Amino acid sequence: MNRTRSYNEYYQLLLKQQESSLSLEEAALLKEGKTLFPALVEAEEQFAQQRKLLLQQKYAFKPFFTGRVIHRLRSIGEQQNFSLMYAFKRLAVPAFGVICIWLLSLFFVDGSLELDSIVGLADWDTVDEYTFGDWIN
Amino acid sequence: MKMGQGTSDSDLMLQIRAGDMDAFRALVEKYEGAVATTIIGMLGPCMEADDIGQEVFIRFYKAINTFRGDSSIKTYLTRIAINLSLNELKARKRRNIFNFFGKEEKEIAYPDYAWSPDAMENAALVQQALQRLQPNARAVIVLRMLEGYSTKETAKMLNLPMGTVLSRLARAQDKLRNILIELDQ
C-alpha cells in the first residue's frame, strides 16, 4: 500500500544524494518527491550552487609567506644552537671549576696527584688488605 | 636546475632530506595555497592563520625523515593544518571563556588578501557562513568541499568512520544552505 511521504522524508533523500548514490527505488522516490514538492527542486539547485561556490574558494596567506617560513625555520635552528651552547657553558664551566678545586684539595691533602690519590687509595697499605680480609672472614 | 611546480614530490623530498633549502622553499610555494585554504577555511581570515600556516611547514620539515610517503605530501600537510586549526579553535574557545569579563577576541581580516574584487563578495559570504558552523562540521566541509577530497580521504584525515563523515556532511550542507540563504537576504 502506498503511503503519503512528508517533505522531510524526500528532503533526506536529497541530502543523501549529495554524497552517496541512491538506489533505483530511492531515486524514483526522490523524482516523485520533486513533482510533489517544487521546493525540493529549488533546494537541489541551491545545493549545486553551494557546491560550486565552495569549490571556487581559494585562499592565500599574506605575500612573502615562503620567506617567512624559511626565516622562522632558520631562527629555530639558531635558537637551538644557541641553547645548546648556553647549556654547555652553564654546565661545563662550573663542572671544570669543581674538578679543579677537588684536584687542588687532593694535592694538598695527599701531596700528589697519582691515580691512587684520585681513587682514594693513597693510604691503602698491605696491612689493610690483611685486616680487610680478616674482617670479611 | 630550477625547482618549481614541475618537480615531482619524490624528487623534492630527496633534495630536502639532503638539506637543500631551495627544494623546501619550492615545496612551500607549491602547497601554501592548499594549506591556506584549509586554515583560512577553518579559522577565517585572522592574524593566527599565517602563524599556523608557518607552523604546518615547520612541523613537516622537522618530521621529514619520518615521512614514509603512505599519503601524498598535500594530504599530509592538510592533515597537520586541520589538526592545528582545530587546536586553535579549542584554544580560542578557552581564551573566550577567560575573557568573559573582558573584550572578546575579534578576527582581523588581512587587507592585502589575494582575492579579486569580484570574488571578494562571495568569499566574504562563504567565510561568514563557515564561521557559523560547528568546528567539526566545518572541518568536513573544508576538506570535502573546499579542498575537494573524497569522503573516504576526509574520513581518514579526521580519523572518523565513513558513516560519521557522511552524516556530518549531510547536516553541515543542510545548515550551510540555510545560513547562505539567510545571509543572502
Side-chain angles (χ1 to χ4, degrees):
Chain A
M1 190 182 80
N2 280 343
R3 67 176 182 91
T4 317
R5 287 182 167 79
S6 67
Y7 172 83
N8 196 40
E9 281 174 282
Y10 292 118
Y11 186 73
Q12 290 307 316
L13 283 176
L14 184 65
L15 273 177
K16 190 181 172 187
Q17 192 195 35
Q18 302 307 308
E19 288 302 326
S20 330
S21 49
L22 299 181
S23 66
L24 286 173
E25 194 190 344
E26 286 171 330
L29 270 175
L30 184 60
K31 199 175 170 186
E32 174 196 284
K34 280 191 260 184
T35 54
L36 291 170
F37 300 100
L40 276 176
V41 180
E42 197 187 345
E44 191 175 29
E45 280 167 15
Q46 283 165 342
F47 278 128
Q49 279 173 5
Q50 179 174 299
R51 189 174 283 269
K52 202 176 154 191
L53 184 67
L54 289 169
L55 210 56
Q56 282 169 352
Q57 302 306 306
K58 295 283 174 253
Y59 306 129
F61 291 119
K62 283 191 286 183
F64 313 113
F65 175 78
T66 309
R68 287 196 298 281
V69 173
I70 303 290
H71 175 75
R72 197 166 147 190
L73 203 58
R74 285 195 174 132
S75 63
I76 288 171
E78 279 165 17
Q79 243 174 20
Q80 275 174 346
N81 285 343
F82 174 76
S83 59
L84 276 174
M85 283 294 290
Y86 181 74
F88 178 74
K89 280 178 191 167
R90 291 278 295 186
L91 286 170
V93 174
F96 183 72
V98 168
I99 290 168
C100 286
I101 293 165
W102 174 62
L103 287 173
L104 271 173
S105 67
L106 215 71
F107 181 75
F108 285 121
V109 171
D110 292 340
S112 79
L113 281 179
E114 287 173 354
L115 187 65
D116 282 355
S117 308
I118 292 171
V119 296
L121 296 173
D123 300 328
W124 188 261
D125 207 350
T126 44
V127 178
D128 295 331
E129 283 175 31
Y130 293 125
T131 318
F132 189 61
D134 289 347
W135 179 66
I136 285 178
N137 294 325
Chain B
M1 186 181 76
K2 176 137 175 70
M3 277 163 295
Q5 301 285 327
T7 316
S8 74
D9 284 353
S10 52
D11 286 345
L12 280 177
M13 288 300 286
L14 281 175
Q15 286 161 337
I16 296 168
R17 281 187 178 131
D20 186 346
M21 283 307 272
D22 285 339
F24 183 64
R25 187 184 287 273
L27 184 130
V28 176
E29 278 167 6
K30 192 172 178 180
Y31 292 113
E32 68 166 284
V35 171
T37 301
T38 304
I39 295 174
I40 297 168
M42 284 299 290
L43 303 178
C46 58
M47 293 300 280
E48 296 90 14
D50 202 88
D51 286 340
I52 292 169
Q54 290 175 35
E55 186 63 29
V56 169
F57 286 102
I58 286 164
R59 286 198 183 196
F60 178 76
Y61 188 81
K62 284 180 177 171
I64 203 118
N65 289 319
T66 55
F67 178 72
R68 295 192 305 267
D70 296 341
S71 56
S72 70
I73 294 178
K74 189 187 169 202
T75 307
Y76 193 72
L77 287 168
T78 307
R79 199 172 184 168
I80 303 174
I82 206 92
N83 285 335
L84 289 180
S85 303
L86 286 168
N87 287 350
E88 172 58 25
L89 287 170
K90 280 181 201 159
R92 212 180 255 183
K93 201 175 173 184
R94 279 198 300 272
R95 284 199 296 269
N96 282 339
I97 291 169
F98 288 117
N99 284 352
F100 185 72
F101 295 106
K103 280 182 183 175
E104 199 170 307
E105 280 187 34
K106 281 189 176 168
E107 288 171 0
I108 304 158
Y110 294 140
D112 51 354
Y113 250 59
W115 290 334
S116 69
D118 294 341
M120 199 79 170
E121 198 182 333
N122 280 343
L125 188 76
V126 171
Q127 273 298 339
Q128 264 183 292
L130 284 173
Q131 297 312 305
R132 283 170 64 175
L133 290 175
Q134 287 293 313
N136 287 338
R138 207 182 306 161
V140 288
I141 289 285
V142 166
L143 292 177
R144 176 76 186 97
M145 302 185 81
L146 264 76
E147 291 281 10
Y149 285 106
S150 67
T151 40
K152 197 179 168 186
E153 286 169 318
T154 305
K156 204 176 163 191
M157 264 193 251
L158 294 171
N159 214 11
L160 290 171
M162 269 282 278
T164 310
V165 169
L166 286 172
S167 60
R168 276 189 194 175
L169 259 172
R171 277 199 303 270
Q173 285 193 71
D174 182 31
K175 195 163 182 193
L176 202 61
R177 185 178 78 95
N178 291 327
I179 296 169
L180 284 169
I181 291 169
E182 192 190 314
L183 290 172
D184 207 26
Q185 279 167 356

